[in-house]
Amino acid sequence: MEKQIDMDWWVSMPKIELHAHLNGSIRDSTLLELSRDLGEKGSIVFSDVEHAILKNDRSLHEVFKLFDLIHVVTTDHKIVTRITKEVVEDFAAENVVYLELRTTPKRNDSIGMSKRSYMEAVVEGLRAVNTVEVDLGSPNLSMESPLTSSAISNLCDGTARKKIYVRLLLSLDRRETTASAMETVKLALKMRHLGVAGIDLSGNPIVGEWATFLPALQFAREQGLSITLHCGEVPNPEEIKAMLDFLPGRIGHACCFGEEEWRKLKSCKIPVEICLTSNIRTETISSIDLHHFVDLYNAQHPIVLCTDDVGVFSTTLSGEYVLASSTFGLGRSKMFHLAWNAVEFIFADDVVKKELRQIFYSAARKLD
Ligand code: 6MZ
């Protein structure tokens, strides 16, 4: 009972999610349902997929094999729309008030899918959300901006219809070529009015070269897009140095840094997206008490707790806050302020930041 009450508090706390991959955040039930359908059509062997989905411990290598499998199941316009809708509704249900959702635009000629039509299916999913109001920063989708004080108050009580700010990040997969990465950046530029705020570099960290993506990332930055990089998921000092020299808006993970890299990161004050469960499950960090969260937190380095892949790692953002609180001995007030502070690192404009600060301010007076 005590535990249940406690979890309710963490769920009701407003939170900001800045590192969530669409295809890693699918509900298990949806993935199983979709796989069963494909199994019945004979396109896949359902039991193989079921085993991979329900398996709990996965090495980093196995995670990327699972993503290939997930993509076979989900790369279809209608399904992309469905999973986007569900993922946003799930984050909103646990009081995520601002979500940056990232996904890799995919092309699949055999079903007439282009990177653009893939992203249109994502936007369609955002429009289909009906448990919560979605603000994409565009006048036709944002029903109520700026927020009135009663709307802010409603964001924090469980009864009224809530609002979630969603911004999209388009991911470059490390398997892509320079030309393909450039195509994604150009697509992002065309979709800015639909909530696209930036570019992410992700994918299997042992694949691909930094130099391949640099031209597209440079172009993205010149054009005013924000950039976050998966950095140091595996030891690769040369690449980590080059990435930090690039001065991205944020980085994700930072698991395999040496002393020199920590020094550089801290002096540049680049915010770090911390994904505790993901790092432990994939064994990029050997034990949670050795996680760099502690050092960065104590150094007052900008950090934000994130989920990475709630579906693949069976976690939630509230769960990540509980895990950090219990592991590192940080009380509710400190964790609340950590969540509040994340407002400063979002890739949306100052108007949104101001509204989010007000939401946290208002919630601070209600939650004790
Ligand atoms: C690196 C990751 C990742 O884009 O198809 N992705 N890349 N490290 C991780 N940590 C475990 N988790 C997810 O979502 C799935 C894709 O996101 C990236 C991979 O490229 C994966 O294929 P989308 O929506």
Side-chain angles (χ1 to χ4, degrees):
M1 188 64 183
E2 183 60 32
K3 209 164 183 195
Q4 180 58 37
I5 293 166
D6 211 32
M7 202 56 211
D8 286 350
W9 187 89
W10 294 100
V11 169
S12 67
M13 180 180 104
K15 291 172 286 291
I16 287 182
E17 171 63 81
L18 300 183
H19 188 134
H21 298 270
L22 175 61
N23 276 285
S25 305
I26 307 168
R27 296 174 189 162
D28 270 359
S29 56
T30 297
L31 208 46
L32 288 169
E33 180 196 320
L34 296 171
S35 309
R36 199 170 288 118
D37 287 353
L38 273 191
E40 277 164 15
K41 286 183 195 146
S43 317
I44 57 167
V45 179
F46 174 66
S47 56
D48 291 354
V49 183
E50 184 186 33
H51 175 72
I53 293 170
L54 297 179
K55 190 169 182 269
N56 243 335
D57 290 323
R58 313 187 165 90
S59 64
L60 197 57
H61 173 70
E62 283 176 317
V63 163
F64 291 104
K65 279 203 332 209
L66 176 61
F67 278 124
D68 286 343
L69 208 54
I70 291 175
H71 289 145
V72 170
V73 176
T74 61
T75 307
D76 166 274
H77 294 112
K78 278 209 177 87
I79 294 174
V80 169
T81 296
R82 172 180 172 179
I83 61 175
T84 305
K85 173 183 185 287
E86 291 180 354
V87 167
V88 172
E89 290 183 349
D90 289 351
F91 276 115
E94 57 158 341
N95 273 299
V96 169
V97 290
Y98 176 93
L99 164 67
E100 275 176 24
L101 186 61
R102 53 186 80 188
T103 192
T104 321
K106 295 167 187 70
R107 180 178 161 185
N108 183 344
D109 293 340
S110 68
I111 56 162
M113 178 181 279
S114 63
K115 288 187 177 193
R116 187 179 184 108
S117 71
Y118 174 91
M119 284 311 302
E120 281 166 356
V122 169
V123 172
E124 193 64 32
L126 298 175
R127 290 181 201 270
V129 168
N130 53 30
T131 59
V132 62
E133 202 175 286
V134 175
D135 179 307
L136 281 176
S138 59
N140 53 342
L141 285 171
S142 163
M143 317 274 287
E144 210 182 345
S145 191
L147 284 178
T148 60
S149 58
S150 75
I152 288 168
S153 171
N154 285 348
L155 279 158
C156 312
D157 75 30
T159 54
R161 191 160 183 261
K162 294 182 294 179
K163 171 168 171 168
I164 184 169
Y165 296 85
V166 181
R167 296 294 181 270
L168 297 169
L169 305 182
L170 270 48
S171 300
L172 310 179
D173 186 309
R174 295 183 61 113
R175 290 176 289 198
E176 288 184 69
T177 61
T178 303
S180 173
M182 198 62 99
E183 185 192 347
T184 295
V185 171
K186 287 183 178 156
L187 177 61
L189 290 170
K190 286 195 192 114
M191 297 189 78
R192 275 172 136 172
H193 65 295
L194 293 169
V196 174
I199 298 291
D200 157 56
L201 174 64
S202 54
N204 191 338
I206 61 167
V207 173
E209 300 285 330
W210 169 245
T212 307
F213 315 108
L214 186 57
L217 291 167
Q218 260 161 348
F219 177 64
R221 181 151 66 194
E222 279 159 23
Q223 297 297 314
L225 289 167
S226 297
I227 290 159
T228 178
L229 305 172
H230 280 60
C231 178
E233 246 182 319
V234 293
N236 186 345
E238 235 171 81
E239 183 179 274
I240 295 170
K241 183 176 180 307
M243 285 184 168
L244 295 179
D245 283 341
F246 180 76
L247 291 176
R250 297 194 306 256
I251 60 168
H253 298 297
C255 296
C256 303
F257 275 34
E259 262 179 50
E260 184 47 38
E261 286 116 36
W262 285 127
R263 235 191 323 274
K264 195 169 174 60
L265 175 79
K266 286 177 184 167
S267 75
C268 301
K269 297 200 166 27
I270 300 168
V272 182
E273 303 151 359
I274 301 265
C275 309
L276 294 172
T277 300
S278 162
N279 296 161
I280 298 305
R281 289 274 166 88
T282 57
E283 294 174 358
T284 44
I285 295 290
S286 58
S287 151
I288 187 135
D289 25 288
L290 300 177
H291 199 282
H292 45 288
F293 174 95
V294 181
D295 179 51
L296 293 177
Y297 183 85
N298 290 337
Q300 298 185 334
H301 186 85
I303 49 176
V304 49
L305 280 183
C306 303
T307 55
D308 207 7
D309 300 291
V310 292
V312 168
F313 299 120
S314 308
T315 186
T316 60
L317 190 54
S318 309
E320 295 300 303
Y321 275 82
V322 172
L323 180 62
S325 169
S326 58
T327 309
F328 308 120
L330 299 170
R332 288 177 176 187
S333 169
K334 288 197 166 124
M335 296 308 293
F336 182 88
H337 281 93
L338 186 69
W340 193 337
N341 225 22
V343 174
E344 308 313 316
F345 321 131
I346 67 171
F347 288 165
D349 60 34
D350 287 345
V351 176
V352 177
K353 283 188 183 170
K354 196 169 158 216
E355 291 173 3
L356 290 171
R357 287 188 202 109
Q358 279 181 286
I359 289 165
F360 277 92
Y361 179 72
S362 164
R365 292 187 301 176
K366 285 188 186 161
L367 296 168
D368 52 58

